[in-house]
Amino acid sequence: MTQTSPPPTAYTETPRSRCEFYRRECSLPTVIDPDTGRITMKAGFVGAVMMPTELAHRVKTALDVRGVAPLPIIGHPRAGMWTFLVRSDIRPIGDPAVVAQLWQARVVVIREGDIALPSPVPDALMTRTWISPAISKFRPSGAVVLECARACLQRQHSR
């Protein structure tokens, strides 16, 4: 009689396991809301640049051409926005024309406050998905992401 092993159990990802992955592998200071299962982190050491999906596609392509990878990008399908997780190296913008350009294009630099990350728990109010998942401690320069966004906007307006 041959002995059979028990069937493998399916791996079920939980908010806690995902949060631990974000902390351990990606050095993201994440926390879990115990009531909702939402995973967030405080901006600070890690920042973010959020922009409309159409512009974000062009920025991602420009960064891909430069060889900047991996790019941790969160999608917000309902809002039509993407958020690039970045190093917090963006200096305050002093030129009012640049501020106006970014404001009009709906480009937002997140230097403080909470950043929501994708969680395995479905949440009808706050859908987040990875466009390009965080898989390591690498994050692109926020200044470079912003520079690419501005270059894409200038090319768009010069047509």
Side-chain angles (χ1 to χ4, degrees), residues 2 20 25 29 36 45 56 63 90 96 99-100 106 132 140 156:
T2 58
E20 285 301 316
E25 300 299 323
T36 64
F45 179 69
L63 292 167
I90 301 172
V99 172
R106 298 178 42 221
S132 177
Q156 176 182 326

Side-chain angles (χ1 to χ4, degrees), residues 36-54:
T36 64
R38 288 181 182 158
I39 300 174
T40 62
M41 67 177 190
K42 292 279 184 209
F45 179 69
V46 177
V49 179
M50 188 167 51
M51 63 190 74
T53 302
E54 182 186 328

Side-chain angles (χ1 to χ4, degrees), residues 5-75:
S5 57
T9 56
Y11 173 73
T12 304
E13 189 176 31
T14 65
R16 174 167 285 156
S17 66
R18 175 86 60 99
C19 190
E20 285 301 316
F21 172 82
Y22 289 154
R23 289 181 191 162
R24 185 181 57 252
E25 300 299 323
C26 306
S27 290
L28 297 172
T30 53
V31 296
I32 303 167
D33 180 314
D35 297 326
T36 64
R38 288 181 182 158
I39 300 174
T40 62
M41 67 177 190
K42 292 279 184 209
F45 179 69
V46 177
V49 179
M50 188 167 51
M51 63 190 74
T53 302
E54 182 186 328
L55 174 60
H57 273 285
R58 296 193 318 261
V59 170
K60 181 183 182 312
T61 299
L63 292 167
D64 288 344
V65 167
R66 288 183 178 199
V68 179
L71 291 170
I73 305 170
I74 302 166

Side-chain angles (χ1 to χ4, degrees), residues 128-149:
R128 299 286 185 267
T129 184
W130 284 111
I131 301 300
S132 177
I135 57 171
S136 71
K137 293 171 177 54
F138 176 80
R139 279 168 288 284
S141 160
V144 169
V145 170
L146 203 55
E147 172 193 317
C148 283

Side-chain angles (χ1 to χ4, degrees), residues 90-100 102 111 146 150:
I90 301 172
R91 297 186 190 279
I93 301 167
D95 183 345
V98 173
V99 172
L102 295 172
R111 291 186 173 94
L146 203 55
R150 290 196 58 229

